[in-house]
Amino acid sequence: MSDKSLMENFKTLGLKKVMKYLDSDPDANIPRVIDWVDKFDTSGMVESQLQEFRNILSNPDGNWYKLIHSLWTDIDEDVRKKVFENFIINASIIGGHRQEKARNENNCNIPWAILMDPTSACNLHCTGCWAADYGNKLNMDTDTLDSIIRQGNEIGVYMFIYSGGEPLVRKKDIIKLCEKHEDSVFLAFTNATLIDEEFADEMLRVKNFIPAISIEGFEEETDFRRGDGTYSAVLKAMKILKAKHLPFGISCCYTSKNVDIIGSEEYIDSMIENGAKFAWFFTYMPVGVDAVPELMATSKQREFMYHQIRKFRDTKPLFTMDFWNDGEYVQGCIAGGRRYLHINANGDIEPCAFIHYSDSNIHNKTLLEALKSPLFMKYHENQPFNENHLRPCPLLDNYGRLADIVEESGAKSTDMQKPEDVNKLCDKCKTAALNWEPVADELWELSHAPSVCSKGES
């Protein structure tokens, strides 16, 4: 567990009491708790989120109210308390203050979350996935993973996300790290095929681990990319998690082949029925020499997802986030340490899970040193990459911007088997960037047009 200052411990103790009070009667006490959290948030770190909660609570029949209420009816009480404590108190309030202090002192990006790969190994071989080419060659030892978590805590990071490969290949090590760092939240992008009764019981024991299950649609779409039998294995894992009252969500990559399914009400309703509490959406990126550019969503398909996800937010009891189309809510690109960074299984510190270039390695640099490196400072200096935050990405949305950053910083490809020239990678995304530009500009103008009063209104 990381050390906290006397003031941080005081706030933690007070907020724990607030959480206990909230659990005694959530319907009556949630509004009061929001007011108390507001008093602790003296720097306004979560001010906008608190206002959103106030709006939600004013409509008991609304989908957001139903989602929040389900956290009491569907989730194990001790797990819910631990996740709330770590997410709200540590990751958002205590961590938020530390992050802001570190930003001001170091004049560089400081992330809210760290994405890291314990291993490149995976038990599946998904079409178009770069990890499938790496095999089981790369692994970060537990001491290195532990060091990343401790360094993260020092600068205010309490949210750690595992990817890979398949992170649950290392599930025993992951559980040990959850035990050791009981004040942090751990999430994993996982294909879920390794989730069984025994592992679910371990999740119940440590209480601070949440799976984001990768699923491509229904059986036909999921098995097309992930292999026969994967969909049924995923449903089995969801059934186990739901029965044990464990929180989980889904991670959906929409491609040219599955976008109609991923964006359908039928699919979203089925995931909610299966127990998912959140859904994270990604668009397919042609990363890696052997990537399949034909799987990239068209501008029309991306626009479809833009509208669908916004509609679901108003109608479905599910927290949804689209990491490309939601740039307007986070003022553009969140990579490069602005909100998160990625450390691969070789220890290379990358700006993003989809940007496989680096000038730093965790084995010979600290996190803070990497955040001050030429590559990360180029991100810091250039963000946002576009004033239209519906075009946030330096690779997919702004042709040539990533190439400039990589070349100016001297960063190198981190793919040890088939290094990819950054200009060739950008060229694969050129058509998509140019086609998306007019669509994104029109959407941006419509969503930011000044409101016009009706006749007779002041």
Side-chain angles (χ1 to χ4, degrees):
M1 181 182 292
S2 62
D3 294 328
K4 289 187 174 76
S5 69
L6 182 62
M7 182 56 70
E8 287 174 338
N9 279 321
F10 175 74
K11 287 185 177 181
T12 299
L13 179 61
L15 287 167
K16 281 183 178 179
K17 290 183 177 180
V18 170
M19 293 297 179
K20 185 177 181 180
Y21 170 74
L22 185 156
D23 267 336
S24 66
D25 187 351
D27 287 329
N29 294 333
I30 286 177
R32 297 168 187 167
V33 168
I34 290 174
D35 290 336
W36 287 349
V37 173
D38 198 13
K39 292 179 182 179
F40 283 106
D41 184 35
T42 55
S43 65
M45 193 69 64
V46 292
E47 181 179 358
S48 61
Q49 292 93 325
L50 291 177
Q51 186 55 50
E52 282 297 318
F53 274 113
R54 290 188 178 96
N55 295 338
I56 289 165
L57 295 174
S58 67
N59 180 18
D61 295 323
N63 60 304
W64 283 99
Y65 188 97
K66 292 176 182 177
L67 173 60
I68 292 173
H69 195 267
S70 76
L71 301 181
W72 272 265
T73 58
D74 299 351
I75 305 302
D76 175 85
E77 179 179 356
D78 292 332
V79 172
R80 183 185 64 250
K81 288 178 179 178
K82 173 59 71 174
V83 171
F84 274 23
E85 178 184 326
N86 290 357
F87 184 82
I88 296 174
I89 300 176
N90 296 335
S92 298
I93 297 178
I94 301 297
H97 286 291
R98 285 193 191 182
Q99 292 160 30
E100 190 63 26
K101 184 174 183 288
R103 287 188 195 102
N104 294 333
E105 290 178 351
N106 295 281
N107 192 33
C108 66
N109 284 334
I110 300 293
W112 178 77
I114 293 175
L115 177 66
M116 53 188 179
D117 302 347
T119 181
S120 64
C122 186
N123 59 323
L124 300 181
H125 194 96
C126 303
T127 302
C129 176
W130 61 79
D133 297 327
Y134 295 168
N136 60 359
K137 299 177 179 63
L138 305 176
N139 293 279
M140 277 198 287
D141 59 60
T142 51
D143 287 343
T144 301
L145 294 167
D146 177 66
S147 175
I148 292 169
I149 296 166
R150 286 187 286 105
Q151 289 183 58
N153 287 167
E154 288 174 7
I155 58 175
V157 181
Y158 287 88
M159 170 63 76
F160 298 92
I161 306 171
Y162 294 112
S163 57
E166 168 50 52
L168 294 191
V169 169
R170 298 275 303 276
K171 57 186 176 182
K172 290 185 178 179
D173 291 330
I174 285 174
I175 289 295
K176 288 178 182 177
L177 290 166
C178 288
E179 284 182 299
K180 185 171 184 179
H181 299 279
E182 60 179 359
D183 55 354
S184 293
V185 182
F186 295 92
L187 185 144
F189 290 114
T190 173
N191 61 44
T193 60
L194 299 178
I195 293 176
D196 53 19
E197 294 277 351
E198 181 182 359
F199 183 68
D201 286 337
E202 286 291 86
M203 288 174 57
L204 270 175
R205 183 173 65 83
V206 297
K207 304 176 182 61
N208 57 344
F209 179 83
I210 303 172
I213 297 173
S214 299
I215 185 166
E216 308 292 333
F218 293 113
E219 184 170 20
E220 180 180 350
E221 297 78 28
T222 297
D223 289 2
F224 167 75
R225 275 199 73 200
R226 299 183 177 272
D228 292 344
T230 304
Y231 182 74
S232 61
V234 167
L235 291 189
K236 180 180 178 181
M238 288 181 173
K239 185 176 181 180
I240 290 171
L241 296 172
K242 185 178 180 181
K244 293 183 183 291
H245 302 284
L246 285 161
F248 69 91
I250 57 173
S251 170
C252 307
C253 177
Y254 57 90
T255 74
S256 61
K257 303 296 184 183
N258 71 356
V259 67
D260 291 337
I261 298 297
I262 289 287
S264 69
E265 285 204 47
E266 180 187 10
Y267 172 68
I268 295 299
D269 288 342
S270 72
M271 293 298 103
I272 294 170
E273 178 64 26
N274 284 321
K277 297 302 179 187
F278 63 89
W280 288 0
F281 294 88
F282 302 84
T283 189
Y284 177 76
M285 297 285 281
V287 176
V289 174
D290 296 329
V292 185
E294 293 76 21
L295 286 176
M296 294 177 71
T298 66
S299 58
K300 184 177 181 180
Q301 290 172 325
R302 183 170 169 180
E303 181 183 10
F304 167 75
M305 291 301 296
Y306 170 93
H307 292 298
Q308 288 297 94
I309 290 174
R310 280 158 177 75
K311 182 178 75 173
F312 295 151
R313 287 198 188 115
D314 292 332
T315 58
K316 306 295 181 184
L318 183 75
F319 178 79
T320 56
M321 182 184 298
D322 184 324
F323 282 80
W324 270 263
N325 286 343
D326 283 342
E328 64 180 304
Y329 302 117
V330 289
Q331 292 76 54
C333 173
I334 63 172
R338 182 169 167 265
R339 289 292 179 266
Y340 98 107
L341 56 77
H342 177 238
I343 306 174
N344 70 17
N346 190 49
D348 298 310
I349 305 171
E350 302 168 336
C352 174
F354 301 96
I355 305 298
H356 293 183
Y357 300 90
S358 178
D359 61 358
S360 304
N361 190 288
I362 198 63
H363 297 299
N364 51 46
K365 280 189 182 181
T366 65
L367 276 176
L368 200 52
E369 287 170 341
L371 287 162
K372 295 179 180 179
S373 72
L375 176 60
F376 278 79
M377 289 307 295
K378 284 294 178 185
Y379 264 77
H380 176 67
E381 293 161 5
N382 284 279
Q383 288 166 321
F385 295 105
N386 200 300
E387 292 304 316
N388 179 347
H389 297 322
L390 295 178
R391 297 170 57 197
C393 182
L395 173 58
L396 185 62
D397 301 325
N398 299 278
Y399 175 66
R401 292 299 295 277
L402 179 65
D404 291 342
I405 288 172
V406 169
E407 290 173 350
E408 290 170 9
S409 66
K412 306 296 182 185
S413 171
T414 56
D415 190 324
M416 294 187 300
Q417 290 186 301
K418 299 176 181 178
E420 185 167 26
D421 180 89
V422 68
N423 290 289
K424 291 183 179 178
L425 173 61
C426 288
D427 285 344
K428 287 192 290 188
C429 297
K430 182 177 181 179
T431 299
L434 296 179
N435 288 343
W436 177 243
E437 179 177 352
V439 178
D441 287 350
E442 182 178 358
L443 291 171
W444 184 256
E445 289 172 9
L446 287 172
S447 63
H448 288 77
S451 59
V452 179
C453 296
S454 301
K455 186 176 179 180
E457 293 180 339
S458 56

